[in-house]
Amino acid sequence: MSDRSKLTFWLLLAPLLIWLLTLIILPHVGMFLVSLREKVGVREYETGFANYAVFFNEPLYWNTFARTAYMSIAATLLTLLIGFPIAYYIAKLTRGRSKTTLFLMCLIPFWVSELVRTFGWMILLRETGVFSNLLQYVGLASGPVEMLYNDAAIMTGLVYTSMLFMVVPLVTTLDSLDDSLIEAGYDLGASGFAILREIVIPHAMPGIVSGCIVVFMLSLGNYLTPILLGGKDSLWFTGLIYSQFITRFNWELGSAFGFLLLGLSSLIVFVGLKLSRQSLGKTMAQ
Amino acid sequence: MITGIPQSAGFRWAYKAYVTLFFIYLALPLATVCVFAFNNSVFPSLPWEGFTWAWFFGTEAPYIGVFHERPILRSIVTSGVVAFWVSLLAVFVGTCNAFLFVRHEFRGKGFLYILMLLPLIIPGIILGISILVFSSSVANFLEDATGLWFDGLRPGLILVILGQFSFITTFATLVISARLQKFDPSLEEAALNLGATRWGAVRAVTLPFLFPAMAAAGVVAVLMSFENFNTTLMLVGSDAPLTITMFDRLKLGSTPVLNAVSLLLIVVSALLGLASLLLQKRKD
């Protein structure tokens, strides 16, 4: 390398290193150190795992953690179930202009702020909302029906918010499946279900895995949807982190919570990638 | 498109119905938000009290429209300022990263690439608190050491900009790298043969080629910055961007003025989104 291109290399490397070090690596190291701090007096600290012990000894905390995890898993599976037929329809049963239009119609809601989408669901679901009025009008309900502030509302919001991140990778992988394989399956007498199981799903597996990983991560780290649609008792782990930081001002415990959430999220990503033998780069590029 | 597969008419019909229902489900919340922006009532809910523009242009309480509602206008400006800086920084660093990863081979490249992707898998709220904790400890340290105040490191607009920049840069890098990979290096070599300097060739040949991707990355950055909530929530100070202001209003109970803001947001984000797609698809 000449001196000139060495200089170029370092000039290009510098912004990357500054960005990653000051905004990603050091803050996370710092947060981990804070999570190990035990408050013993005013501005007096000891190092230890007490904050993590608090988490495991307090049922409310780890119950919320577990609940967040399994609700996120449920949201992921639901998104996959609802999204798969749509992705198949877009990829295999339409073409040309109508394909582009349907795909765009999937995209547009997700360019809009999550806050606006959640607000929409609040107007639809609340006691004075559209659905409640509709039910009364049709005569299926005698009084106002509150559909907000329960787990089903949270689930509706999570699935809605994550749909795009499932449909896009599925459409991409299904697009690359050669139609003649499906037709050959039919010609050889396979049933629709057998073709789905033997041809379509195995081919779509990379898309399914990357979609599931992203949707799970987004649900786990979601704050708006559970808080606004689930109300005060939504018991979402990000809500606990927020209250430790902002209302209780207990940054030590909040950091420990943050690390646990980050750990779970990374673990799932890691396991997902290992199971599907994919690399992070490839999955995220989809 | 698959043709010539035997399927019962009933199945086809049911499938079509399902797809239709799905798109209704997608459109329903947004359509509802938009419709109630025109309801002549102080609550964004039924019954329908008639059509009005008051939630956009109204000047008399309680019918104060978006364009006369100071706190909301101020937060839109704040969001705009944040989005501008985030987008500028993210496109600059993203372009540098693209050149680094596409043009250079060096030890630890794969590792750095993975590190570069990490912000995608860190939940936004964690990114927010880690930056909050870190900047506060740096501020405490500096203040103890020097006796001066370092307000820039306390929750506020600078931290919001840095927090959003920290993950939006990854998207900018991916978009710009994808285009740089398609660049034919012989074009640059031709410029060099014709007597251009290295930087001159990059500026005259490569950057114009990259421009659509840089613009697309900039638009995406503005869009993501404008609607970011999780990271911003943890870093916000007294000047709240639009999403935070709307969230606070929403918790208190809302008037259709929020619907009007949302309608404007929907229109603007759809236009920006389409613009970014067109920029990325542009052939040359």
Side-chain angles (χ1 to χ4, degrees), chain B residues 239-263:
Chain B
D239 295 326
L242 186 59
T243 43
I244 303 290
T245 309
M246 286 175 70
F247 178 69
D248 290 339
R249 290 280 185 101
L250 216 59
K251 279 194 300 193
L252 296 174
S254 48
T255 66
V257 80
L258 285 186
N259 295 64
V261 185
S262 304
L263 174 67

PDB file of all heavy atoms in Angstrom, chain B residues 239-263:
ATOM      1  N   ASP B 239     -36.818  19.735  24.978  1.00  0.00           N
ATOM      2  CA  ASP B 239     -37.374  19.923  23.633  1.00  0.00           C
ATOM      3  C   ASP B 239     -37.787  18.576  23.070  1.00  0.00           C
ATOM      4  O   ASP B 239     -36.944  17.787  22.676  1.00  0.00           O
ATOM      5  CB  ASP B 239     -36.326  20.513  22.683  1.00  0.00           C
ATOM      6  CG  ASP B 239     -35.936  21.905  23.094  1.00  0.00           C
ATOM      7  OD1 ASP B 239     -36.826  22.623  23.600  1.00  0.00           O
ATOM      8  OD2 ASP B 239     -34.766  22.258  22.936  1.00  0.00           O
ATOM      9  N   ALA B 240     -39.097  18.315  23.040  1.00  0.00           N
ATOM     10  CA  ALA B 240     -39.524  16.994  22.597  1.00  0.00           C
ATOM     11  C   ALA B 240     -39.794  16.980  21.098  1.00  0.00           C
ATOM     12  O   ALA B 240     -40.455  17.869  20.591  1.00  0.00           O
ATOM     13  CB  ALA B 240     -40.778  16.580  23.346  1.00  0.00           C
ATOM     14  N   PRO B 241     -39.286  15.964  20.388  1.00  0.00           N
ATOM     15  CA  PRO B 241     -39.670  15.788  18.991  1.00  0.00           C
ATOM     16  C   PRO B 241     -41.146  15.362  18.892  1.00  0.00           C
ATOM     17  O   PRO B 241     -41.764  15.009  19.902  1.00  0.00           O
ATOM     18  CB  PRO B 241     -38.759  14.674  18.483  1.00  0.00           C
ATOM     19  CG  PRO B 241     -37.707  14.524  19.511  1.00  0.00           C
ATOM     20  CD  PRO B 241     -38.291  14.987  20.792  1.00  0.00           C
ATOM     21  N   LEU B 242     -41.661  15.353  17.676  1.00  0.00           N
ATOM     22  CA  LEU B 242     -43.094  15.137  17.454  1.00  0.00           C
ATOM     23  C   LEU B 242     -43.645  13.841  18.070  1.00  0.00           C
ATOM     24  O   LEU B 242     -44.684  13.865  18.733  1.00  0.00           O
ATOM     25  CB  LEU B 242     -43.374  15.153  15.946  1.00  0.00           C
ATOM     26  CG  LEU B 242     -44.843  15.073  15.557  1.00  0.00           C
ATOM     27  CD1 LEU B 242     -45.624  16.226  16.143  1.00  0.00           C
ATOM     28  CD2 LEU B 242     -44.997  15.057  14.046  1.00  0.00           C
ATOM     29  N   THR B 243     -42.937  12.721  17.862  1.00  0.00           N
ATOM     30  CA  THR B 243     -43.502  11.462  18.366  1.00  0.00           C
ATOM     31  C   THR B 243     -43.670  11.494  19.885  1.00  0.00           C
ATOM     32  O   THR B 243     -44.641  10.961  20.413  1.00  0.00           O
ATOM     33  CB  THR B 243     -42.630  10.246  18.003  1.00  0.00           C
ATOM     34  OG1 THR B 243     -41.277  10.583  18.225  1.00  0.00           O
ATOM     35  CG2 THR B 243     -42.831   9.818  16.576  1.00  0.00           C
ATOM     36  N   ILE B 244     -42.719  12.120  20.576  1.00  0.00           N
ATOM     37  CA  ILE B 244     -42.792  12.179  22.031  1.00  0.00           C
ATOM     38  C   ILE B 244     -43.970  13.069  22.465  1.00  0.00           C
ATOM     39  O   ILE B 244     -44.754  12.713  23.350  1.00  0.00           O
ATOM     40  CB  ILE B 244     -41.473  12.724  22.620  1.00  0.00           C
ATOM     41  CG1 ILE B 244     -40.292  11.867  22.162  1.00  0.00           C
ATOM     42  CG2 ILE B 244     -41.538  12.796  24.135  1.00  0.00           C
ATOM     43  CD1 ILE B 244     -40.237  10.495  22.741  1.00  0.00           C
ATOM     44  N   THR B 245     -44.097  14.227  21.803  1.00  0.00           N
ATOM     45  CA  THR B 245     -45.213  15.126  22.122  1.00  0.00           C
ATOM     46  C   THR B 245     -46.546  14.415  21.905  1.00  0.00           C
ATOM     47  O   THR B 245     -47.457  14.485  22.743  1.00  0.00           O
ATOM     48  CB  THR B 245     -45.158  16.373  21.212  1.00  0.00           C
ATOM     49  OG1 THR B 245     -43.852  16.914  21.285  1.00  0.00           O
ATOM     50  CG2 THR B 245     -46.160  17.409  21.648  1.00  0.00           C
ATOM     51  N   MET B 246     -46.642  13.700  20.774  1.00  0.00           N
ATOM     52  CA  MET B 246     -47.896  13.005  20.484  1.00  0.00           C
ATOM     53  C   MET B 246     -48.174  11.921  21.522  1.00  0.00           C
ATOM     54  O   MET B 246     -49.306  11.716  21.944  1.00  0.00           O
ATOM     55  CB  MET B 246     -47.860  12.384  19.087  1.00  0.00           C
ATOM     56  CG  MET B 246     -48.005  13.411  17.991  1.00  0.00           C
ATOM     57  SD  MET B 246     -47.825  12.689  16.362  1.00  0.00           S
ATOM     58  CE  MET B 246     -49.320  11.738  16.237  1.00  0.00           C
ATOM     59  N   PHE B 247     -47.113  11.215  21.924  1.00  0.00           N
ATOM     60  CA  PHE B 247     -47.269  10.156  22.920  1.00  0.00           C
ATOM     61  C   PHE B 247     -47.796  10.719  24.238  1.00  0.00           C
ATOM     62  O   PHE B 247     -48.719  10.171  24.839  1.00  0.00           O
ATOM     63  CB  PHE B 247     -45.923   9.460  23.124  1.00  0.00           C
ATOM     64  CG  PHE B 247     -45.933   8.368  24.166  1.00  0.00           C
ATOM     65  CD1 PHE B 247     -46.615   7.191  23.938  1.00  0.00           C
ATOM     66  CD2 PHE B 247     -45.249   8.523  25.361  1.00  0.00           C
ATOM     67  CE1 PHE B 247     -46.622   6.174  24.879  1.00  0.00           C
ATOM     68  CE2 PHE B 247     -45.254   7.516  26.311  1.00  0.00           C
ATOM     69  CZ  PHE B 247     -45.942   6.344  26.064  1.00  0.00           C
ATOM     70  N   ASP B 248     -47.219  11.847  24.668  1.00  0.00           N
ATOM     71  CA  ASP B 248     -47.668  12.466  25.917  1.00  0.00           C
ATOM     72  C   ASP B 248     -49.133  12.874  25.817  1.00  0.00           C
ATOM     73  O   ASP B 248     -49.913  12.681  26.754  1.00  0.00           O
ATOM     74  CB  ASP B 248     -46.800  13.684  26.243  1.00  0.00           C
ATOM     75  CG  ASP B 248     -45.392  13.270  26.644  1.00  0.00           C
ATOM     76  OD1 ASP B 248     -45.225  12.104  27.042  1.00  0.00           O
ATOM     77  OD2 ASP B 248     -44.469  14.095  26.533  1.00  0.00           O
ATOM     78  N   ARG B 249     -49.516  13.436  24.681  1.00  0.00           N
ATOM     79  CA  ARG B 249     -50.907  13.821  24.469  1.00  0.00           C
ATOM     80  C   ARG B 249     -51.826  12.611  24.514  1.00  0.00           C
ATOM     81  O   ARG B 249     -52.913  12.638  25.091  1.00  0.00           O
ATOM     82  CB  ARG B 249     -51.079  14.475  23.086  1.00  0.00           C
ATOM     83  CG  ARG B 249     -50.452  15.810  22.953  1.00  0.00           C
ATOM     84  CD  ARG B 249     -51.378  16.845  23.575  1.00  0.00           C
ATOM     85  NE  ARG B 249     -50.854  18.170  23.362  1.00  0.00           N
ATOM     86  CZ  ARG B 249     -51.307  18.990  22.425  1.00  0.00           C
ATOM     87  NH1 ARG B 249     -52.302  18.634  21.658  1.00  0.00           N
ATOM     88  NH2 ARG B 249     -50.766  20.165  22.266  1.00  0.00           N
ATOM     89  N   LEU B 250     -51.372  11.562  23.872  1.00  0.00           N
ATOM     90  CA  LEU B 250     -52.174  10.346  23.738  1.00  0.00           C
ATOM     91  C   LEU B 250     -52.465   9.734  25.096  1.00  0.00           C
ATOM     92  O   LEU B 250     -53.553   9.217  25.348  1.00  0.00           O
ATOM     93  CB  LEU B 250     -51.396   9.346  22.870  1.00  0.00           C
ATOM     94  CG  LEU B 250     -52.204   8.485  21.927  1.00  0.00           C
ATOM     95  CD1 LEU B 250     -52.969   9.358  20.971  1.00  0.00           C
ATOM     96  CD2 LEU B 250     -51.280   7.582  21.156  1.00  0.00           C
ATOM     97  N   LYS B 251     -51.483   9.805  25.993  1.00  0.00           N
ATOM     98  CA  LYS B 251     -51.666   9.231  27.327  1.00  0.00           C
ATOM     99  C   LYS B 251     -52.707  10.022  28.103  1.00  0.00           C
ATOM    100  O   LYS B 251     -53.429   9.474  28.937  1.00  0.00           O
ATOM    101  CB  LYS B 251     -50.334   9.224  28.092  1.00  0.00           C
ATOM    102  CG  LYS B 251     -49.460   8.054  27.705  1.00  0.00           C
ATOM    103  CD  LYS B 251     -48.319   7.856  28.683  1.00  0.00           C
ATOM    104  CE  LYS B 251     -47.415   9.063  28.768  1.00  0.00           C
ATOM    105  NZ  LYS B 251     -46.161   8.800  29.462  1.00  0.00           N
ATOM    106  N   LEU B 252     -52.781  11.334  27.821  1.00  0.00           N
ATOM    107  CA  LEU B 252     -53.721  12.178  28.552  1.00  0.00           C
ATOM    108  C   LEU B 252     -55.137  12.077  27.997  1.00  0.00           C
ATOM    109  O   LEU B 252     -56.077  12.591  28.585  1.00  0.00           O
ATOM    110  CB  LEU B 252     -53.267  13.640  28.474  1.00  0.00           C
ATOM    111  CG  LEU B 252     -51.942  13.939  29.145  1.00  0.00           C
ATOM    112  CD1 LEU B 252     -51.536  15.375  28.880  1.00  0.00           C
ATOM    113  CD2 LEU B 252     -52.034  13.675  30.644  1.00  0.00           C
ATOM    114  N   GLY B 253     -55.281  11.447  26.850  1.00  0.00           N
ATOM    115  CA  GLY B 253     -56.567  11.491  26.156  1.00  0.00           C
ATOM    116  C   GLY B 253     -56.421  12.498  25.051  1.00  0.00           C
ATOM    117  O   GLY B 253     -55.739  13.512  25.195  1.00  0.00           O
ATOM    118  N   SER B 254     -57.076  12.229  23.941  1.00  0.00           N
ATOM    119  CA  SER B 254     -56.694  12.978  22.753  1.00  0.00           C
ATOM    120  C   SER B 254     -57.865  13.717  22.127  1.00  0.00           C
ATOM    121  O   SER B 254     -59.005  13.363  22.319  1.00  0.00           O
ATOM    122  CB  SER B 254     -56.141  12.004  21.731  1.00  0.00           C
ATOM    123  OG  SER B 254     -57.032  10.916  21.630  1.00  0.00           O
ATOM    124  N   THR B 255     -57.553  14.760  21.374  1.00  0.00           N
ATOM    125  CA  THR B 255     -58.550  15.408  20.529  1.00  0.00           C
ATOM    126  C   THR B 255     -58.186  15.075  19.084  1.00  0.00           C
ATOM    127  O   THR B 255     -57.078  14.612  18.820  1.00  0.00           O
ATOM    128  CB  THR B 255     -58.535  16.936  20.707  1.00  0.00           C
ATOM    129  OG1 THR B 255     -57.297  17.427  20.229  1.00  0.00           O
ATOM    130  CG2 THR B 255     -58.740  17.324  22.160  1.00  0.00           C
ATOM    131  N   PRO B 256     -59.121  15.300  18.168  1.00  0.00           N
ATOM    132  CA  PRO B 256     -58.830  14.968  16.763  1.00  0.00           C
ATOM    133  C   PRO B 256     -57.658  15.747  16.189  1.00  0.00           C
ATOM    134  O   PRO B 256     -57.251  15.465  15.075  1.00  0.00           O
ATOM    135  CB  PRO B 256     -60.134  15.322  16.050  1.00  0.00           C
ATOM    136  CG  PRO B 256     -61.180  15.140  17.083  1.00  0.00           C
ATOM    137  CD  PRO B 256     -60.551  15.626  18.347  1.00  0.00           C
ATOM    138  N   VAL B 257     -57.096  16.679  16.944  1.00  0.00           N
ATOM    139  CA  VAL B 257     -55.936  17.373  16.397  1.00  0.00           C
ATOM    140  C   VAL B 257     -54.801  16.368  16.184  1.00  0.00           C
ATOM    141  O   VAL B 257     -54.021  16.475  15.242  1.00  0.00           O
ATOM    142  CB  VAL B 257     -55.514  18.548  17.313  1.00  0.00           C
ATOM    143  CG1 VAL B 257     -54.715  18.087  18.493  1.00  0.00           C
ATOM    144  CG2 VAL B 257     -54.734  19.582  16.528  1.00  0.00           C
ATOM    145  N   LEU B 258     -54.750  15.338  17.025  1.00  0.00           N
ATOM    146  CA  LEU B 258     -53.751  14.285  16.829  1.00  0.00           C
ATOM    147  C   LEU B 258     -54.007  13.532  15.535  1.00  0.00           C
ATOM    148  O   LEU B 258     -53.080  13.102  14.855  1.00  0.00           O
ATOM    149  CB  LEU B 258     -53.765  13.305  18.000  1.00  0.00           C
ATOM    150  CG  LEU B 258     -53.135  13.795  19.288  1.00  0.00           C
ATOM    151  CD1 LEU B 258     -53.100  12.669  20.289  1.00  0.00           C
ATOM    152  CD2 LEU B 258     -51.729  14.303  19.030  1.00  0.00           C
ATOM    153  N   ASN B 259     -55.297  13.344  15.201  1.00  0.00           N
ATOM    154  CA  ASN B 259     -55.625  12.692  13.942  1.00  0.00           C
ATOM    155  C   ASN B 259     -55.130  13.528  12.776  1.00  0.00           C
ATOM    156  O   ASN B 259     -54.618  13.000  11.791  1.00  0.00           O
ATOM    157  CB  ASN B 259     -57.136  12.511  13.804  1.00  0.00           C
ATOM    158  CG  ASN B 259     -57.677  11.563  14.839  1.00  0.00           C
ATOM    159  OD1 ASN B 259     -57.611  11.833  16.023  1.00  0.00           O
ATOM    160  ND2 ASN B 259     -58.186  10.441  14.392  1.00  0.00           N
ATOM    161  N   ALA B 260     -55.301  14.854  12.919  1.00  0.00           N
ATOM    162  CA  ALA B 260     -54.868  15.731  11.837  1.00  0.00           C
ATOM    163  C   ALA B 260     -53.349  15.642  11.660  1.00  0.00           C
ATOM    164  O   ALA B 260     -52.853  15.507  10.543  1.00  0.00           O
ATOM    165  CB  ALA B 260     -55.297  17.166  12.124  1.00  0.00           C
ATOM    166  N   VAL B 261     -52.607  15.677  12.778  1.00  0.00           N
ATOM    167  CA  VAL B 261     -51.148  15.524  12.684  1.00  0.00           C
ATOM    168  C   VAL B 261     -50.808  14.190  12.042  1.00  0.00           C
ATOM    169  O   VAL B 261     -49.948  14.104  11.166  1.00  0.00           O
ATOM    170  CB  VAL B 261     -50.491  15.576  14.076  1.00  0.00           C
ATOM    171  CG1 VAL B 261     -48.983  15.534  13.944  1.00  0.00           C
ATOM    172  CG2 VAL B 261     -50.908  16.800  14.828  1.00  0.00           C
ATOM    173  N   SER B 262     -51.515  13.124  12.492  1.00  0.00           N
ATOM    174  CA  SER B 262     -51.233  11.797  11.960  1.00  0.00           C
ATOM    175  C   SER B 262     -51.481  11.736  10.465  1.00  0.00           C
ATOM    176  O   SER B 262     -50.701  11.139   9.725  1.00  0.00           O
ATOM    177  CB  SER B 262     -52.107  10.753  12.648  1.00  0.00           C
ATOM    178  OG  SER B 262     -51.916  10.810  14.032  1.00  0.00           O
ATOM    179  N   LEU B 263     -52.580  12.375  10.023  1.00  0.00           N
ATOM    180  CA  LEU B 263     -52.888  12.376   8.595  1.00  0.00           C
ATOM    181  C   LEU B 263     -51.744  13.013   7.810  1.00  0.00           C
ATOM    182  O   LEU B 263     -51.279  12.468   6.804  1.00  0.00           O
ATOM    183  CB  LEU B 263     -54.201  13.133   8.344  1.00  0.00           C
ATOM    184  CG  LEU B 263     -54.577  13.332   6.882  1.00  0.00           C
ATOM    185  CD1 LEU B 263     -54.903  12.000   6.244  1.00  0.00           C
ATOM    186  CD2 LEU B 263     -55.759  14.262   6.746  1.00  0.00           C
TER     187      LEU B 263
END
